[in-house]
Amino acid sequence: MVAEKETLSLNKCPDKMPKRTKLLAQQPLPVHQPHSLVSEGFTVKAMMKNSVVRGPPVAGAFKERPTKPTAFRKFYERGDFPIALEHDSKGNKIAWKVEIEKLDYHHYLPLFFEGLCEMTFPYEFFARQGIHDMLEHGGNKILPVIPQLIIPIKNALNLRNRQVICVTLKVLQHLAVSAEMVGEALVPYYRQILPILNIFKNMNDEQWAKWIRAGQTLKQARAVRHPSLESSQGTTGKRPQEGADGAGSPSRHFWFNEANFQQL
Amino acid sequence: MASSDAKPKSVSRAKKWSEEIENLYRFQQAGYRDETEYKQVKQVSTVDRWPETGYVKKLQRRDNTFYYYNKQRECNDKEVHKVKIYAY
C-alpha cells in the first residue's frame, strides 16, 4: 500500500500529477545517460568527459579557385596579338597576321601561357591554339623562354579547375616534346608544378570523369591523366635519378612520353 | 606543267583520303584551288612543307594572314568528300 500512501500525501489533483513508483528490490538502477556535448577541437569544452569533438573543417584542397583577369585577356582586347579567328568546317581556326617564326617568343609565349587560366570563349581557344602553333613552329626559340612559362603554368594548375588542368597537362606534354632539351629544362621546376598534381594523383577515374565538364570524354580524361602522371619513359635525355627528389615523390611518375602524346 | 595563267578544265570530288587529298584540303582551307593557283597568286616557287610527312606546313592567305597546319593528317574522313580535285 505504499503507492496509496504516497498519492494521498502528494496528490491534490490526482488526474494531473503523475504517480510515483518505487523500485522493487530486484530491479536494477536506471543508468543515467549523459547528454553528449558537441564541441570544437582543441577547446576546454572538448576536454569534458561527455563531449564529442566535431571533425576538422574541410580544407578545400579540391575546391576550385576563382579566376582573376589575366594579362592575356587585356592584351587580346587591346588587339596586341597578331591573331585572328577564322571559322571553317571543322570549327574554329586561328590565322596569324605575322609569321610565327618572326615573333618575339620572350614576349608572346608567356602571355599565351597566361591565357591558360581562361575558361571562356574566345580567350581559352586563342590561348590553347596559339600555344600549340607557337610550340609547333618554335624550334630552338622555345628553350630560353622556359623559366618565364613556369609561373603561368603554376597559376593555371592552382585554379583546381578540371578543364584548365586537362588543357594545361596537354600543353605541358606538347612543351616537353616541342624541342630538344626542354624536358631537362623543366626538371628544376618540378617542385613548382607537381604539388598540385599530387593532390589529384589518387583521384580515381570515376571521380575524375564526374568532375570533367560536359563535352570532355572519359577517354580524353584518362589519356590526359595517364601519361602525365604515370608515364615512365623520358622524351629527351635521361630520366631523373630516383633519389633526386626523394622516395615516393610524385616527380618519379611525371615524365612525358612522346608516344603517349601522339595518342592525344 | 601548267602555264602561269592556266585554268582548270574539270573538277571532281575526292572519294578517298590520300596524301594528295590532304594537301589539297589544306590549300582549299586557305582559299586556293590547289598548289598551282597558290604559286600563281603568291608568286612563289616552293611551298613550306613538313619534312617528316611532306604535308603543307604554312600558307599565306589572300588577306596576307598565315595559316599553319599540323604535321599529322588534318583532313578527316568526313571532310574528304568536300575536297575538290581540279584537272588541267
Side-chain angles (χ1 to χ4, degrees), chain A residues 10-67:
Chain A
L10 298 174
N11 195 355
K12 287 189 179 178
C13 303
D15 294 330
K16 290 183 183 176
M17 295 288 288
K19 288 187 180 177
R20 289 176 63 184
T21 55
K22 264 200 173 178
L23 290 171
L24 299 174
Q26 293 81 16
Q27 199 171 355
L29 287 169
V31 177
H32 174 63
Q33 296 290 341
H35 176 67
S36 63
L37 195 65
V38 179
S39 60
E40 296 291 337
F42 305 101
T43 56
V44 174
K45 217 173 176 184
M47 308 293 278
M48 293 171 65
K49 274 187 191 174
N50 58 340
S51 71
V52 175
V53 178
R54 197 177 284 134
V58 175
F62 298 102
K63 192 176 174 187
E64 293 184 14
R65 269 59 168 170
T67 53

Side-chain angles (χ1 to χ4, degrees), chain A residues 154-200:
Chain A
K154 187 179 152 191
N155 290 340
L157 291 172
N158 274 339
L159 289 179
R160 272 100 161 156
N161 179 283
R162 280 57 174 171
Q163 182 80 14
V164 171
I165 288 177
C166 280
V167 172
T168 308
L169 287 175
K170 280 192 179 179
V171 163
L172 279 169
Q173 289 176 336
H174 192 183
L175 182 64
V177 302
S178 60
E180 290 291 324
M181 301 297 288
V182 170
E184 282 91 335
L186 284 171
V187 171
Y189 303 105
Y190 277 5
R191 57 193 297 271
Q192 298 193 55
I193 299 172
L194 294 178
I196 188 65
L197 300 177
N198 196 34
I199 295 172
F200 292 96

Side-chain angles (χ1 to χ4, degrees), chain A residues 85-94 121 125, chain B residues 25 29 79:
Chain A
L85 186 66
E86 297 289 333
H87 299 281
D88 66 355
S89 55
K90 275 168 68 173
N92 294 322
K93 201 171 173 62
I94 194 172
F121 182 84
F125 169 74
Chain B
Y25 173 78
Q29 274 232 307
E79 312 280 325

Side-chain angles (χ1 to χ4, degrees), chain B residues 13 21 23-34 59 69 82-86:
Chain B
R13 297 271 180 173
I21 300 299
N23 284 323
L24 277 174
Y25 173 78
R26 295 182 181 204
F27 280 109
Q28 286 167 22
Q29 274 232 307
Y32 303 97
R33 284 194 297 265
D34 49 21
L59 292 174
Y69 298 95
K82 296 179 186 175
V83 176
K84 295 179 186 173
I85 305 170
Y86 293 90

